[in-house]
Amino acid sequence: MEAETLSALPDSLLLQILELLPLRDRLGGARVCRRWRRLVRDKLLWRHVDLTPYKMSSKVLWHLLRNHLRGNLRTLRARGFLHSVRKQEVFSPALMQALGKQCPHFHRLCLIETDLRSLPYDCMPPSLTTLELSRCEIPPAWFQGPASSQAPQAFPRLQHLTVQNVPAFSNQHLANIARQGTLRTLVLSEAYRVTDGGIQTAAPHLGGLESLALCRCSIGDAAAHFIGRHMKRLHLLDLGGTPSLTDACLPCLSGLAGLEELRLEGCAGLSPEAVATACRVLPRLKHLDLSQAGFDERAVHQIRAGLPNCIVTCTASGRAAKGKA
């Protein structure tokens, strides 16, 4: 496109174009002319920032904060150096505190391969409501809420937490975040240090949960008992990748009257008869995932026949279909 054609475009359309550009190209656009420099500084471009394609240093993040993110940032995705030869820290306590003070609307942080072991939890921006950690390292005392002598607003009041392949995440971390009583969504994947005992301790504080995923954790039938007893508001429950579950866990879920989606992918210890019986007492169930559960076509057909208003997904049939009476 010729330069004179670009210059004829309105600011609103140029902003949409700049928003689609990679970060480096967007910043490079500020050197084209004064108009483009003004547009690159527009707050609409810096509300949702994805830095994961780049290995960012703390120096670059400080520059972005001072020149673009301040007062604008809503969500931030970033990648650290955990599995890199460069072992520098991306997020320092000072940088996190500055993000909290200068970005009052910053509510979602997604970190990949980031070493957070030197970062106290009380340095996290208090405005955060969503935290997603993937292949990160965290210190033992993380997620611990404020003591009675501290101001509650100094800590994040997380509503949505996703922890994927974070080896250090343990029962104690789960207990710490559960005691805050603010979680609505909890996703734990490959959290091998989370056991039935951890679910037992945390469950009484997770009554407000609406979505729970415990995938490939070290849990068994006892965990299902505590889930069914305390988490009555669940709409989605994912226990995929838990081969230790047996038929004994299924009656425990009968108290989840509002459950709309149940995922039992890879739960090979369950029988089709027990699954069908348990799901028939869940009045709002709309989707049941039995992928890789090892059921044959006949068993899947029987389950579908008993759940006429539920979509049953199973790799045994190669498709998802709506059950028919």
PDB file of all heavy atoms in Angstrom, residues 36-54:
ATOM      1  N   TRP A  36       1.941   8.937  13.385  1.00  0.00           N
ATOM      2  CA  TRP A  36       2.049   7.546  13.795  1.00  0.00           C
ATOM      3  C   TRP A  36       2.582   7.431  15.221  1.00  0.00           C
ATOM      4  O   TRP A  36       2.182   6.548  15.970  1.00  0.00           O
ATOM      5  CB  TRP A  36       2.960   6.787  12.812  1.00  0.00           C
ATOM      6  CG  TRP A  36       2.220   6.351  11.584  1.00  0.00           C
ATOM      7  CD1 TRP A  36       1.465   7.144  10.772  1.00  0.00           C
ATOM      8  CD2 TRP A  36       2.164   5.039  11.046  1.00  0.00           C
ATOM      9  NE1 TRP A  36       0.936   6.408   9.741  1.00  0.00           N
ATOM     10  CE2 TRP A  36       1.347   5.097   9.889  1.00  0.00           C
ATOM     11  CE3 TRP A  36       2.710   3.825  11.412  1.00  0.00           C
ATOM     12  CZ2 TRP A  36       1.067   3.995   9.106  1.00  0.00           C
ATOM     13  CZ3 TRP A  36       2.448   2.706  10.623  1.00  0.00           C
ATOM     14  CH2 TRP A  36       1.626   2.790   9.488  1.00  0.00           C
ATOM     15  N   ARG A  37       3.473   8.314  15.580  1.00  0.00           N
ATOM     16  CA  ARG A  37       3.985   8.286  16.957  1.00  0.00           C
ATOM     17  C   ARG A  37       2.856   8.540  17.939  1.00  0.00           C
ATOM     18  O   ARG A  37       2.760   7.888  18.984  1.00  0.00           O
ATOM     19  CB  ARG A  37       5.082   9.316  17.136  1.00  0.00           C
ATOM     20  CG  ARG A  37       5.714   9.309  18.529  1.00  0.00           C
ATOM     21  CD  ARG A  37       6.825  10.318  18.647  1.00  0.00           C
ATOM     22  NE  ARG A  37       7.431  10.261  19.970  1.00  0.00           N
ATOM     23  CZ  ARG A  37       8.429  11.031  20.372  1.00  0.00           C
ATOM     24  NH1 ARG A  37       8.943  11.931  19.538  1.00  0.00           N
ATOM     25  NH2 ARG A  37       8.914  10.919  21.583  1.00  0.00           N
ATOM     26  N   ARG A  38       1.992   9.484  17.602  1.00  0.00           N
ATOM     27  CA  ARG A  38       0.848   9.774  18.467  1.00  0.00           C
ATOM     28  C   ARG A  38      -0.086   8.570  18.539  1.00  0.00           C
ATOM     29  O   ARG A  38      -0.590   8.215  19.622  1.00  0.00           O
ATOM     30  CB  ARG A  38       0.104  11.000  17.937  1.00  0.00           C
ATOM     31  CG  ARG A  38      -1.212  11.292  18.658  1.00  0.00           C
ATOM     32  CD  ARG A  38      -1.837  12.579  18.126  1.00  0.00           C
ATOM     33  NE  ARG A  38      -2.082  12.527  16.700  1.00  0.00           N
ATOM     34  CZ  ARG A  38      -3.143  11.934  16.148  1.00  0.00           C
ATOM     35  NH1 ARG A  38      -4.045  11.309  16.924  1.00  0.00           N
ATOM     36  NH2 ARG A  38      -3.316  11.950  14.836  1.00  0.00           N
ATOM     37  N   LEU A  39      -0.309   7.920  17.397  1.00  0.00           N
ATOM     38  CA  LEU A  39      -1.203   6.769  17.385  1.00  0.00           C
ATOM     39  C   LEU A  39      -0.620   5.593  18.173  1.00  0.00           C
ATOM     40  O   LEU A  39      -1.357   4.888  18.870  1.00  0.00           O
ATOM     41  CB  LEU A  39      -1.475   6.335  15.939  1.00  0.00           C
ATOM     42  CG  LEU A  39      -2.331   7.295  15.101  1.00  0.00           C
ATOM     43  CD1 LEU A  39      -2.402   6.822  13.660  1.00  0.00           C
ATOM     44  CD2 LEU A  39      -3.729   7.429  15.688  1.00  0.00           C
ATOM     45  N   VAL A  40       0.679   5.368  18.057  1.00  0.00           N
ATOM     46  CA  VAL A  40       1.306   4.269  18.787  1.00  0.00           C
ATOM     47  C   VAL A  40       1.173   4.462  20.292  1.00  0.00           C
ATOM     48  O   VAL A  40       1.122   3.486  21.047  1.00  0.00           O
ATOM     49  CB  VAL A  40       2.788   4.121  18.374  1.00  0.00           C
ATOM     50  CG1 VAL A  40       3.533   3.193  19.316  1.00  0.00           C
ATOM     51  CG2 VAL A  40       2.878   3.609  16.943  1.00  0.00           C
ATOM     52  N   ARG A  41       1.102   5.685  20.738  1.00  0.00           N
ATOM     53  CA  ARG A  41       0.943   5.967  22.167  1.00  0.00           C
ATOM     54  C   ARG A  41      -0.513   5.910  22.622  1.00  0.00           C
ATOM     55  O   ARG A  41      -0.781   6.068  23.814  1.00  0.00           O
ATOM     56  CB  ARG A  41       1.523   7.340  22.497  1.00  0.00           C
ATOM     57  CG  ARG A  41       3.042   7.405  22.406  1.00  0.00           C
ATOM     58  CD  ARG A  41       3.547   8.788  22.723  1.00  0.00           C
ATOM     59  NE  ARG A  41       4.992   8.837  22.770  1.00  0.00           N
ATOM     60  CZ  ARG A  41       5.726   8.610  23.852  1.00  0.00           C
ATOM     61  NH1 ARG A  41       5.122   8.325  24.985  1.00  0.00           N
ATOM     62  NH2 ARG A  41       7.046   8.670  23.803  1.00  0.00           N
ATOM     63  N   ASP A  42      -1.435   5.656  21.715  1.00  0.00           N
ATOM     64  CA  ASP A  42      -2.853   5.611  22.085  1.00  0.00           C
ATOM     65  C   ASP A  42      -3.104   4.485  23.084  1.00  0.00           C
ATOM     66  O   ASP A  42      -2.630   3.361  22.922  1.00  0.00           O
ATOM     67  CB  ASP A  42      -3.717   5.396  20.840  1.00  0.00           C
ATOM     68  CG  ASP A  42      -5.183   5.647  21.099  1.00  0.00           C
ATOM     69  OD1 ASP A  42      -5.818   4.787  21.763  1.00  0.00           O
ATOM     70  OD2 ASP A  42      -5.702   6.680  20.657  1.00  0.00           O
ATOM     71  N   LYS A  43      -3.862   4.794  24.108  1.00  0.00           N
ATOM     72  CA  LYS A  43      -4.080   3.842  25.194  1.00  0.00           C
ATOM     73  C   LYS A  43      -4.817   2.587  24.744  1.00  0.00           C
ATOM     74  O   LYS A  43      -4.693   1.525  25.366  1.00  0.00           O
ATOM     75  CB  LYS A  43      -4.840   4.510  26.336  1.00  0.00           C
ATOM     76  CG  LYS A  43      -6.239   4.986  25.960  1.00  0.00           C
ATOM     77  CD  LYS A  43      -6.905   5.678  27.144  1.00  0.00           C
ATOM     78  CE  LYS A  43      -8.315   6.132  26.793  1.00  0.00           C
ATOM     79  NZ  LYS A  43      -8.960   6.810  27.954  1.00  0.00           N
ATOM     80  N   LEU A  44      -5.590   2.665  23.658  1.00  0.00           N
ATOM     81  CA  LEU A  44      -6.328   1.493  23.189  1.00  0.00           C
ATOM     82  C   LEU A  44      -5.395   0.367  22.739  1.00  0.00           C
ATOM     83  O   LEU A  44      -5.776  -0.802  22.756  1.00  0.00           O
ATOM     84  CB  LEU A  44      -7.260   1.890  22.045  1.00  0.00           C
ATOM     85  CG  LEU A  44      -8.416   2.833  22.399  1.00  0.00           C
ATOM     86  CD1 LEU A  44      -9.215   3.185  21.157  1.00  0.00           C
ATOM     87  CD2 LEU A  44      -9.318   2.215  23.455  1.00  0.00           C
ATOM     88  N   LEU A  45      -4.176   0.710  22.317  1.00  0.00           N
ATOM     89  CA  LEU A  45      -3.228  -0.290  21.844  1.00  0.00           C
ATOM     90  C   LEU A  45      -2.525  -1.023  22.975  1.00  0.00           C
ATOM     91  O   LEU A  45      -1.841  -2.020  22.730  1.00  0.00           O
ATOM     92  CB  LEU A  45      -2.170   0.372  20.948  1.00  0.00           C
ATOM     93  CG  LEU A  45      -2.652   0.983  19.639  1.00  0.00           C
ATOM     94  CD1 LEU A  45      -1.478   1.588  18.885  1.00  0.00           C
ATOM     95  CD2 LEU A  45      -3.348  -0.056  18.778  1.00  0.00           C
ATOM     96  N   TRP A  46      -2.657  -0.543  24.198  1.00  0.00           N
ATOM     97  CA  TRP A  46      -1.856  -1.072  25.294  1.00  0.00           C
ATOM     98  C   TRP A  46      -2.708  -1.594  26.439  1.00  0.00           C
ATOM     99  O   TRP A  46      -2.255  -1.693  27.562  1.00  0.00           O
ATOM    100  CB  TRP A  46      -0.892   0.016  25.793  1.00  0.00           C
ATOM    101  CG  TRP A  46       0.006   0.478  24.691  1.00  0.00           C
ATOM    102  CD1 TRP A  46      -0.136   1.609  23.937  1.00  0.00           C
ATOM    103  CD2 TRP A  46       1.158  -0.205  24.178  1.00  0.00           C
ATOM    104  NE1 TRP A  46       0.848   1.690  22.995  1.00  0.00           N
ATOM    105  CE2 TRP A  46       1.674   0.590  23.122  1.00  0.00           C
ATOM    106  CE3 TRP A  46       1.802  -1.385  24.518  1.00  0.00           C
ATOM    107  CZ2 TRP A  46       2.798   0.218  22.400  1.00  0.00           C
ATOM    108  CZ3 TRP A  46       2.929  -1.749  23.794  1.00  0.00           C
ATOM    109  CH2 TRP A  46       3.416  -0.960  22.756  1.00  0.00           C
ATOM    110  N   ARG A  47      -3.942  -1.950  26.142  1.00  0.00           N
ATOM    111  CA  ARG A  47      -4.788  -2.550  27.177  1.00  0.00           C
ATOM    112  C   ARG A  47      -4.502  -4.037  27.336  1.00  0.00           C
ATOM    113  O   ARG A  47      -4.474  -4.553  28.458  1.00  0.00           O
ATOM    114  CB  ARG A  47      -6.270  -2.329  26.839  1.00  0.00           C
ATOM    115  CG  ARG A  47      -6.719  -0.872  26.881  1.00  0.00           C
ATOM    116  CD  ARG A  47      -8.182  -0.731  26.518  1.00  0.00           C
ATOM    117  NE  ARG A  47      -8.437  -1.247  25.170  1.00  0.00           N
ATOM    118  CZ  ARG A  47      -9.655  -1.326  24.619  1.00  0.00           C
ATOM    119  NH1 ARG A  47     -10.712  -0.942  25.316  1.00  0.00           N
ATOM    120  NH2 ARG A  47      -9.815  -1.785  23.388  1.00  0.00           N
ATOM    121  N   HIS A  48      -4.316  -4.734  26.217  1.00  0.00           N
ATOM    122  CA  HIS A  48      -4.075  -6.177  26.242  1.00  0.00           C
ATOM    123  C   HIS A  48      -2.764  -6.443  25.500  1.00  0.00           C
ATOM    124  O   HIS A  48      -2.705  -6.322  24.271  1.00  0.00           O
ATOM    125  CB  HIS A  48      -5.241  -6.922  25.597  1.00  0.00           C
ATOM    126  CG  HIS A  48      -6.579  -6.517  26.131  1.00  0.00           C
ATOM    127  ND1 HIS A  48      -7.016  -6.875  27.388  1.00  0.00           N
ATOM    128  CD2 HIS A  48      -7.565  -5.732  25.595  1.00  0.00           C
ATOM    129  CE1 HIS A  48      -8.213  -6.371  27.590  1.00  0.00           C
ATOM    130  NE2 HIS A  48      -8.568  -5.670  26.522  1.00  0.00           N
ATOM    131  N   VAL A  49      -1.730  -6.802  26.235  1.00  0.00           N
ATOM    132  CA  VAL A  49      -0.379  -6.895  25.688  1.00  0.00           C
ATOM    133  C   VAL A  49       0.120  -8.335  25.783  1.00  0.00           C
ATOM    134  O   VAL A  49       0.105  -8.934  26.869  1.00  0.00           O
ATOM    135  CB  VAL A  49       0.581  -5.944  26.430  1.00  0.00           C
ATOM    136  CG1 VAL A  49       1.995  -6.077  25.880  1.00  0.00           C
ATOM    137  CG2 VAL A  49       0.085  -4.503  26.312  1.00  0.00           C
ATOM    138  N   ASP A  50       0.558  -8.881  24.658  1.00  0.00           N
ATOM    139  CA  ASP A  50       1.107 -10.235  24.606  1.00  0.00           C
ATOM    140  C   ASP A  50       2.591 -10.149  24.258  1.00  0.00           C
ATOM    141  O   ASP A  50       2.965  -9.813  23.130  1.00  0.00           O
ATOM    142  CB  ASP A  50       0.360 -11.062  23.554  1.00  0.00           C
ATOM    143  CG  ASP A  50       0.818 -12.521  23.542  1.00  0.00           C
ATOM    144  OD1 ASP A  50       1.688 -12.887  24.359  1.00  0.00           O
ATOM    145  OD2 ASP A  50       0.293 -13.295  22.725  1.00  0.00           O
ATOM    146  N   LEU A  51       3.437 -10.476  25.235  1.00  0.00           N
ATOM    147  CA  LEU A  51       4.887 -10.422  25.049  1.00  0.00           C
ATOM    148  C   LEU A  51       5.492 -11.817  24.915  1.00  0.00           C
ATOM    149  O   LEU A  51       6.712 -11.959  24.887  1.00  0.00           O
ATOM    150  CB  LEU A  51       5.545  -9.699  26.236  1.00  0.00           C
ATOM    151  CG  LEU A  51       5.050  -8.278  26.520  1.00  0.00           C
ATOM    152  CD1 LEU A  51       5.740  -7.723  27.762  1.00  0.00           C
ATOM    153  CD2 LEU A  51       5.289  -7.368  25.325  1.00  0.00           C
ATOM    154  N   THR A  52       4.656 -12.851  24.838  1.00  0.00           N
ATOM    155  CA  THR A  52       5.182 -14.219  24.832  1.00  0.00           C
ATOM    156  C   THR A  52       6.043 -14.558  23.612  1.00  0.00           C
ATOM    157  O   THR A  52       6.896 -15.438  23.712  1.00  0.00           O
ATOM    158  CB  THR A  52       4.037 -15.242  24.941  1.00  0.00           C
ATOM    159  OG1 THR A  52       3.064 -14.995  23.910  1.00  0.00           O
ATOM    160  CG2 THR A  52       3.363 -15.139  26.303  1.00  0.00           C
ATOM    161  N   PRO A  53       5.862 -13.901  22.445  1.00  0.00           N
ATOM    162  CA  PRO A  53       6.773 -14.230  21.333  1.00  0.00           C
ATOM    163  C   PRO A  53       8.201 -13.773  21.568  1.00  0.00           C
ATOM    164  O   PRO A  53       9.096 -14.142  20.802  1.00  0.00           O
ATOM    165  CB  PRO A  53       6.158 -13.488  20.134  1.00  0.00           C
ATOM    166  CG  PRO A  53       4.732 -13.251  20.504  1.00  0.00           C
ATOM    167  CD  PRO A  53       4.762 -13.036  21.979  1.00  0.00           C
ATOM    168  N   TYR A  54       8.437 -12.971  22.625  1.00  0.00           N
ATOM    169  CA  TYR A  54       9.745 -12.383  22.836  1.00  0.00           C
ATOM    170  C   TYR A  54      10.316 -12.811  24.187  1.00  0.00           C
ATOM    171  O   TYR A  54       9.584 -13.057  25.136  1.00  0.00           O
ATOM    172  CB  TYR A  54       9.658 -10.848  22.796  1.00  0.00           C
ATOM    173  CG  TYR A  54       8.854 -10.317  21.639  1.00  0.00           C
ATOM    174  CD1 TYR A  54       7.538  -9.887  21.821  1.00  0.00           C
ATOM    175  CD2 TYR A  54       9.398 -10.241  20.363  1.00  0.00           C
ATOM    176  CE1 TYR A  54       6.792  -9.405  20.764  1.00  0.00           C
ATOM    177  CE2 TYR A  54       8.661  -9.764  19.297  1.00  0.00           C
ATOM    178  CZ  TYR A  54       7.357  -9.348  19.498  1.00  0.00           C
ATOM    179  OH  TYR A  54       6.615  -8.878  18.452  1.00  0.00           O
TER     180      TYR A  54
END
